[in-house]
Amino acid sequence: MKKLMMTLAMAALTLTFAIGQDVKQEAKETANQAGQTAKAAGRKVSRETKQASRDVKRAANKAGDKVDRAAKNTKEDVKEGTSKALNKTERGLKKAEKKMDNSK
């Protein structure tokens, strides 16, 4: 009877040890999968951040281009307005000269 109890105890101990090893292995695999998931999430965040950065840069460039075009257009408008004003003044001076010449 003593040998039977000893054999059953050894069998229970071996079974417990085997189950413990399985649990340990499953825990390692779960930890490995969690690590891989965390790395994948980090890579995804990195990609999305880079894309957002490119999008912001494109938008800033577009805005800069619009401002540049507006400044050029304003410069041209000022030149045109100045030319028109000078022409009008010149015509007025010519008229005034003519009147002065005619009044002599």
Side-chain angles (χ1 to χ4, degrees), residues 95-104:
K95 273 186 181 179
E97 272 183 43
K98 237 183 198 181
K99 279 186 180 179
M100 285 178 62
D101 287 344
N102 287 339
S103 67
K104 284 184 182 177

Side-chain angles (χ1 to χ4, degrees), residues 19-65:
I19 291 172
Q21 286 296 324
D22 285 345
V23 169
K24 181 179 175 184
Q25 186 62 32
E26 287 178 22
K28 280 184 178 179
E29 289 173 10
T30 302
N32 188 25
Q33 286 177 343
Q36 289 175 352
T37 302
K39 283 181 184 178
R43 287 191 295 266
K44 183 177 181 181
V45 166
S46 176
R47 283 191 306 271
E48 289 176 357
T49 302
K50 285 178 184 176
Q51 183 61 42
S53 174
R54 284 191 288 265
D55 291 346
V56 167
K57 190 174 181 180
R58 279 189 203 115
N61 284 341
K62 280 185 177 181
D65 291 346

Side-chain angles (χ1 to χ4, degrees), residues 6-20:
M6 200 60 143
T7 304
L8 286 175
M10 286 298 274
L13 185 61
T14 303
L15 184 61
T16 304
F17 181 72
I19 291 172

Side-chain angles (χ1 to χ4, degrees), residues 55-95:
D55 291 346
V56 167
K57 190 174 181 180
R58 279 189 203 115
N61 284 341
K62 280 185 177 181
D65 291 346
K66 284 183 180 179
V67 168
D68 188 44
R69 279 193 303 275
K72 283 181 182 176
N73 290 341
T74 301
K75 181 181 172 184
E76 307 243 340
D77 290 348
V78 168
K79 278 184 181 179
E80 191 176 307
T82 303
S83 291
K84 283 182 181 180
L86 286 173
N87 288 340
K88 188 175 182 181
T89 304
E90 193 174 319
R91 284 193 308 268
L93 285 173
K94 284 183 181 179
K95 273 186 181 179

